[in-house]
Amino acid sequence: MKETDIIDPVRIGKFSLGYFRWSVTAHIFQPKRFWKYCTKQVYEWKRGLSLQFISLTGIYTLLMFIFHTDGQPFITSSGAQMLIWLGFFIYIAKSSSSLADQIGIRSKRVVYLTVPVSTAEKYIAHLLSTIVLYPLLFFAAIVVAQYASELISSTIRGEMFNPGTPLQGCFSMWKNSGFTTIFFVTSVRTIATFTLGATLWQKNSFLKTVSALFLFSIVFSFSCSLFLTNEEIGSAVSYLFIGKFFDNSSNFFWLINTVQIAETIILGYIGYLRLKELEINETKR
């Protein structure tokens, strides 16, 4: 059989004489085509990304200036870090929901879905941009805001210019590898959740996904109360957090990360299937 022969839509490759050759067909993933698609998207988004960077920098510069205290950069306070991390998760959730804008309303959806790139490449490109590109843009804006707010404060208020180190204090919790892992896994799960929401609702995707999560939490809490008494819930909580199971913090991190990774895989796969279903339905109308 020749190397160019294709016997299956998803050809994984072949193993021969001690070396493994990985080959995928153009139907699923082609690195060169995928790279061109990603770079083309970034080029087309440059105006929107620039506006987002300017907006984020302006908002956080204003916040840091308002709550600035003489001698101590605002970014070192716990309140500032809470605002930064809250803003980060809202930003990546909103960025994940932006897939709905790309897909568009039904009358224009076929334009996105018939782009000569596979569904897998579109989906992976969206995930990569949300996991890598948007966080980099967000924290670059925070760094600029940190220095800009201190410069404005020292100029207007006559205070000493003391911006501290870039993102001072923001990553102090990352000294604990367990918290670092939880933060990363939670971020990716958030991205998978809101990306799935974008494939379900093309109008007001972010708000509808937030509402769905809120309703789910209410239903879940209500269901637990039907099957478990307050005493049973209290006993379970006591065992986990007061008893022996979480005496070792690694048990806590292991449990949380395992649950979140499983949720991320399931939500991500459903989102991919949903996007694939949209493509099949719309391009065959």
Side-chain angles (χ1 to χ4, degrees), residues 45 48-49 52 56 88 91-92 94-96 98-99 102 125-141 191:
W45 294 346
L49 292 173
Q52 289 181 40
L56 287 169
F88 172 75
Y91 181 63
I92 62 171
K94 193 73 174 65
S95 300
S96 302
S98 67
L99 179 63
Q102 296 179 54
H126 172 74
L127 293 180
L128 279 179
S129 65
T130 315
I131 293 172
V132 179
L133 179 62
Y134 289 108
L136 286 176
L137 184 148
F138 180 86
F139 287 112
I191 291 168

Side-chain angles (χ1 to χ4, degrees), residues 158-195:
E159 299 172 348
M160 181 179 64
F161 179 73
N162 180 26
T165 56
L167 297 176
Q168 183 177 358
C170 277
F171 298 103
S172 58
M173 67 176 183
W174 285 25
K175 294 176 182 178
N176 187 320
S177 59
F179 281 118
T180 303
T181 307
I182 285 181
F183 172 82
F184 178 75
V185 175
T186 302
S187 301
V188 177
R189 188 192 65 171
T190 301
I191 291 168
T193 301
F194 282 85
T195 297

Side-chain angles (χ1 to χ4, degrees), residues 50-118:
S50 300
L51 290 175
Q52 289 181 40
F53 176 79
I54 294 171
S55 300
L56 287 169
T57 302
I59 291 170
Y60 277 100
T61 298
L62 181 62
L63 286 173
M64 292 181 187
F65 173 75
I66 291 174
F67 296 103
H68 177 272
T69 55
D70 189 16
Q72 289 295 327
F74 171 68
I75 200 169
T76 60
S77 69
S78 58
Q81 292 170 32
M82 184 179 297
L83 284 174
I84 288 171
W85 290 120
L86 177 62
F88 172 75
F89 278 101
I90 293 175
Y91 181 63
I92 62 171
K94 193 73 174 65
S95 300
S96 302
S97 297
S98 67
L99 179 63
D101 298 327
Q102 296 179 54
I103 296 173
I105 58 177
R106 183 161 188 170
S107 60
K108 298 181 179 179
R109 190 177 303 164
V110 71
V111 175
Y112 167 77
L113 296 175
T114 54
V115 171
V117 182
S118 72

Side-chain angles (χ1 to χ4, degrees), residues 6-7 9 51 104 120 126 136 143 168-169 186 208 219 230 233 242:
I6 297 175
I7 60 175
L51 290 175
H126 172 74
L136 286 176
V143 170
Q168 183 177 358
T186 302
K208 289 180 179 178
V219 172
N230 291 336
I233 295 175
I242 302 176

